[in-house]
Amino acid sequence: MTGSLLSDGKLLSSDVIHYMIPDWKVVQDYLEILEFPELKGIIFMQTACQTVQHQKGRRQYNKLRNLLKDARHDCILFANEFQQHCYLPRERGESMEKWQTRSIYNAAVWYFHHCQDRMPIVMVTEDKEAIQQYGSETEGLFVISFKNYLDNFWPDLKAAHELCDSILQSRRERENESQESHGKEYAEHLPLEVLEAGIKSGRYIQGILNVNKHRAQIEAFVRLQGASCKDSGRVVGILQKNWRDYVVTFPSKEEVQSQGKNAQKILVTPWDYRIPKIRISTQQAEALQDFRVVVRIDSWESTSVYPNGHFVRVLGRIGDLEGEIATILVENSISVVPFSEAQMCEMPVNTPGNPWKVSPEEERERKDLRETHLVFSIDPKGCEDVDDTLSVRTLTNGNLELGVHIADVTHFVPPNSYIDIEARTRATTYYLADRRYDMLPSILSADLCSLLGGVDRYAVSVIWELDKTSYEIKKVWYGRTIIRSAYKLFYEAAQELLDGNFHIVDDIPEFRDLDEKSRQAKLEELVWAIGKLTDIARHIRAKRDHCGALELEGVEIRVQLDEKKNIHDLIPKQPLEVHETVAECMILANHWVAKKIWESFPHQALLRQHPPPHQEFFSELRECAKAKAFFIDTRSNKTLADSLDNANDPNDPIVNRLLRSMATQAMSNALYFSTGSCAEEEFHHYGLALDKYTHFTSPIRRYSDIVVHRLLMAAISKDKKMEIKDNLFSNKDLEELCRHINNRNRAAQHSQKQSTELFQCMYFKDKDPENEERCISDGVIYSIRTNGVLVFIPRFGIKGAAYLRNKDGLVISCGSDSRSEWKPGSLQRFQNKITSTTTGGESVTFHLFDHVTVRISVQASRCHSDTIRLEIISNKPYMIPDTELFHQSSLLLKSDLVKEVTRSVEEAQLAQEVKVNVIQEDYQKYCQTKGRSLYTLLEEIRDLALLDVSNSYGM
C-alpha cells in the first residue's frame, strides 16, 4: 500500500496499529527519541527534513538521513512537496513555521485518505494552535503533542520519557531566560527567509563563526565567503549551528553545592577541553558523577557564557576501558553498530555445506589467470584480510609482465545497496589500539574478498608489459580477472628467499607436503619471481626518487598475534627491501589507475592530491638541522628528499628520524578530491612525486577505493563502447563524498591516536614513578620552548613536554651526579638550546638532540583524558649495562602496553559486585571486532610511532 511512496524499496511494518507523522519542530527537538527502535511506523515529511537541514546543520541532517536509510528502523520519507495533492504554496504574510506545520498536516490528511481511511494517523506537533485547530478536523487523524503521544502510546518506554522531560525542561529554562533578558542590548537575529534573501541579493555575507572558548563574550573570528578577513561587520543571523553530541563529566557533590542554590541546573564539563561547560537540568547529578555522559547542545543565549543542553545517555564509568573507548568514538562522531540483518542478507554465502564458487557467467566474462600466472601475496605474518597480490612472468617475446591483482569488492557491493550505503557512511575501517571496526562485514573482508592462498577469487587487475632490460612500460591492461594465489607469504620469509636463505621454506605451508623434486622446482620459480619483482621495484623507485619522492617514515612496529588474535608482542619493524617492493608495486598501480580514470572522466574522477607545503612551515626543521651542522634545502621535494638523506648522524640514528618527523609536521595531509573541482596543475602529489595519484589497492577498508574501482570499470566499458552499468557520481556529488571521506579519515586518525594515548596512560597509571624501573627511560630533546623542552621517548614512542620551570617558579638544576632538583633561578632560551641558572650560580644547558633520563608518570584528570607527564631527572642518557637485556625488556614492555591494560580491566570487571548494564550494552554496540588489524603495518600503524597522528603524512 505504501510501496509506491518509498525510496530504496523500504516498506513500513505491517504490524503497526497507526502511523506517526512528526512535524518539523518535533523532528528538530526529539530526533534522538525518534531513533529509538521501539518507535515504529514513522513517516518523515520532506518539509520537516528540509527544515532540519537548514536550521540544525549538516551533522543533525546526516543523523536523520542515516535513520531513514537504516533498515532496522521502521520509518520512511514521503516527498510531500513533490506530490501534486500535498504541495501547498505559502500564503502572503504567513510565517515560515506556520506554513511548514500546515504543509505537514495537509500531507498527513492526504496520506490518511491514500490509505483508504483504514490506518489511523497521529501527527505530533509542539504547536498548540495547530493542535487546537486541526485536532478534531479529520476523523481518524489525531493531532497531539509529543509528550502526549509518548504518554498514551508508549507509557512503558522509560528512557524516552526521561529524555523527553529533559528536553522540555531545557526548553522551559531557555524561554524563561529569553523573557528575563528581553531588554538586552543585543539585536535579535533575523529570520531564516530574510537571511537567505539577503545573501542572494548581496546585502549579507555568509561565513563561519569560530568562538574563543576562554573569551567567548569579547573575542571571535569569522571566516567569510567571498570577503577579506579584515572586513568589519556584525552577525545578523544564524543559518545553521554545527552542534553535535558531547561527552561530559558531572561535577562532584562538592562542586554541585558550590554552584549555587539551584542544584538541578548544573554545569557539566566536556571531555574535549576546547568546549566550554554546558548547562543542563537534571535530578541525577549525584548518581552520575562517576560516569561519562553524552549531552546535546540545544541553544546558546547571547547573554550567557555557557550553552544550554540536555542529557542523552550514559557511556560508562570514568576510567573504565570500555567507557573510555566509547568516549573516544563519540567525540570523533564514530557510530559503528553491528551490521544489520538487511545488510547481511545482501551478503554471499560461504559455508561448508554451501561453499561459494566461481559462477560460469563470470568465467566467461573475466580473464582467467589461475593456470597461467604465478600469483602470490606478501603481507605481515598472521594477516587474514589480503586485498592485494602480485605476479611477474616472462612473455614469449622476451619482455616481462608485471601484475597487481586487487580484491574485486565491487562485485559483491552493488551501488546504493544497503551494504554500500553503510560502507559509504563509515568511509573507512577504524583501527584502535586493541580493536578495529570494519567498513565491510567479515564474510567479505576476511573471506570472499581476501585473496587467500589456494582458493579461487575475483580480482581487478592491472597488468603491464615491461621491456626485458630497461623495465620501461610498453603497454598496460586493466580488467576483471579470476585468480588463485599460490603462496601467502609473510615479509620476513620473502626477504629470506630474496637473500638466498632457503631454510625459511619450512615455515611456508605451501611447501610442506611436496616431494623434493617438486619442492625444488617451485622454490626456484618463486625465488625468481621475488627477485624480479624487487629489480622492477628498484627501477620504479629510482624514477620517483629522481623526481623528488620523499621518505618520511617513523618508527614502525610489527604486531604479533596469538591463536586467539590477541596481541602477543610488538616488535620494531626492521626495514626490509620487500616492504619497498610491495609498496612500489601498489603505488604504480594507484598511479596508472589514476591516469586511466582521469582520461575517461576528466571532470568526475576521484584522485588524491598532496599540495606542496608553505616554506615558512619548514623554518623549525631548518634551524634544528643547523644544530647538527646539517643544511636542509626545502625549495622542492627533490632537494628536501636529498637533504634528509644526507642528514645522518652516524652516532645517533634518532636524529634523522626526528628531522623526518619535523618535515612531516610541516606538511598538510593528502586529500581526496574530484577532478572537476580544481585545475590539473593542482592534481600533483608532492610526497610521492607523481602528477596523478589515487587509492585503488585497498577496497576492503577504504570506500574511496570502491569508488575508484567503479570508475575503472566504467572506463573499461567506455573503451569497449559498452553501456556503463553504474551511475557515476557527478562532480558536485563526488566532491561532497570526498569531503565526507576526508572527514572520516581525520576522525579515524584522531581516534587511533587517542586510543593509543589511552593505553599508554592506563599502562603507566598504576605504577609508582618513583620506584618502578619501567617508568625511567631515555629521551631525546627535539624542540626548545620558553619554559621547557619537547622530548621523544624511543622506547615507548611517546612525545611530550618536559618543563624546566615548575608551577612554584623553581627551575631545574643538575648537580655533579647529574641528578636534577628544583631551585630558585631563571631560564634563558636560545635558538638550539636552553639554559637553567639558579640564584646560587649553578647552570645546566640542554641542547637539541641531547639524550636525557626521563621519568614517566600520568597526569590524571577526572573530566578530560589522562595525559602522560614527562620529568627530566638527569641531564645524562639513561643507560642499562646489558644492551641486549634492554632490547628484550623493551619488546616485552610494548607487548604489555595493550595486554596488561586489557587483563587488568577484565580482572577489575570480574571483581565488581555490581555491574552497570549500560556499560555492557554499549560494549555490545561498539565492540565489533576485537584484535589488532595487520593492515596497519605499511601505512596505518600509528601507535607507539614517532609520527604524531594529528599531523601524519598520509599518502
Side-chain angles (χ1 to χ4, degrees), residues 34-66:
L34 297 175
E35 291 174 331
F36 278 47
E38 292 86 351
L39 300 185
K40 297 183 177 181
I42 305 176
I43 302 172
F44 289 95
M45 294 296 172
Q46 173 192 1
T47 302
C49 296
Q50 289 177 342
T51 305
V52 171
Q53 181 181 18
H54 292 310
Q55 296 190 13
K56 300 296 281 188
R58 181 182 296 275
R59 185 173 282 108
Q60 187 83 342
Y61 180 61
N62 284 340
K63 286 174 71 72
L64 177 57
R65 288 178 61 186
N66 292 336

Side-chain angles (χ1 to χ4, degrees), residues 788-837:
V789 295
L790 299 183
V791 180
F792 169 57
I793 313 294
R795 186 177 180 183
F796 297 107
I798 294 172
K799 296 170 76 175
Y803 294 100
L804 304 184
R805 179 189 288 117
N806 66 14
K807 293 182 179 179
D808 298 325
L810 304 178
V811 299
I812 195 170
S813 173
C814 295
S816 57
D817 61 352
S818 300
R819 308 301 293 179
S820 68
E821 56 182 318
W822 298 102
K823 294 182 178 180
S826 62
L827 297 176
Q828 188 173 9
R829 176 188 176 186
F830 302 92
Q831 185 65 50
N832 297 319
K833 63 182 180 180
I834 185 169
T835 299
S836 173
T837 307

Side-chain angles (χ1 to χ4, degrees), residues 688-713:
L688 295 177
L690 294 171
D691 60 340
K692 294 176 183 66
Y693 192 69
T694 192
H695 274 165
F696 158 76
T697 54
S698 295
I700 290 176
R701 61 186 177 92
R702 293 189 302 229
Y703 192 77
S704 56
D705 300 48
I706 289 179
V707 176
V708 169
H709 274 234
R710 289 173 181 157
L711 283 163
L712 180 60
M713 292 302 104

Side-chain angles (χ1 to χ4, degrees), residues 581-596:
T581 298
V582 175
E584 286 302 326
C585 292
M586 297 304 115
I587 291 171
L588 182 70
N590 287 333
H591 173 52
W592 278 82
V593 169
K595 293 197 297 183
K596 179 63 178 177

